[in-house]
């Protein structure tokens, strides 16, 4: 269940980042309220996941998924550039996240 909570927390993290961009310096009420709600939701679900997961693993995966989702959706929604450097960084982040998940499984089995 912890991994499901972590995925929900990461989805909130993506919404938080994208909504923050839309606040225009917190001058727009709707996106500003969405930003605050998404931040609270992300932290809440992260706290549930961390009841079971190591904080180093949970937090890193939360921020990694949030980063990847934000860059991908920022490219699609806001027309931000996707460069070869960004694509390489995605591959490295995904590899790191997979490694953390696998190492967490091994630790749980031991």
């Amino acid at each position: 269940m912890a991994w499901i909570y972590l995925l929900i927390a990461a989805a909130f993290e993506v919404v938080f980042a994208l909504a923050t961009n839309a606040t225009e310096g917190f001058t727009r009420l709707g996106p500003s309220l969405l930003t605050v709600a998404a931040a609270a939701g992300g932290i809440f679900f992260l706290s549930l996941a961390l009841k079971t997961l190591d904080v180093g693993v949970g937090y890193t995966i939360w921020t990694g998924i949030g980063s990847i989702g934000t860059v991908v959706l920022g490219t699609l929604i806001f027309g931000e550039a996707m460069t070869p450097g960004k694509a390489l960084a995605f591959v490295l982040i995904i590899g790191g996240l997979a490694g953390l998940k696998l190492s967490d499984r091994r630790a749980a089995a031991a």
Side-chain angles (χ1 to χ4, degrees):
M1 194 68 184
W3 289 103
I4 293 170
Y5 289 145
L6 192 59
L7 290 175
I8 294 168
F12 274 112
E13 177 74 2
V14 172
V15 172
F16 162 76
L18 296 174
T20 300
N21 186 54
T23 67
E24 296 179 13
F26 287 94
T27 60
R28 297 181 60 214
L29 181 60
S32 297
L33 294 174
L34 180 58
T35 297
V36 172
I43 292 168
F44 173 74
F45 280 99
L46 177 62
S47 73
L48 295 178
L50 294 181
K51 286 182 173 182
T52 305
L53 301 175
D54 291 341
V55 68
V57 172
Y59 182 78
T60 303
I61 291 176
W62 177 57
T63 58
I65 293 172
S67 297
I68 291 169
T70 299
V71 174
V72 168
L73 290 175
T75 300
L76 296 173
I77 295 170
F78 299 118
E80 297 172 354
M82 176 57 69
T83 64
K86 282 184 183 180
L88 175 61
F90 285 149
V91 171
L92 294 172
I93 291 170
I94 291 168
L97 296 176
L100 282 171
K101 177 137 178 31
L102 290 172
S103 68
D104 190 56
R105 252 192 219 160
R106 289 185 191 134

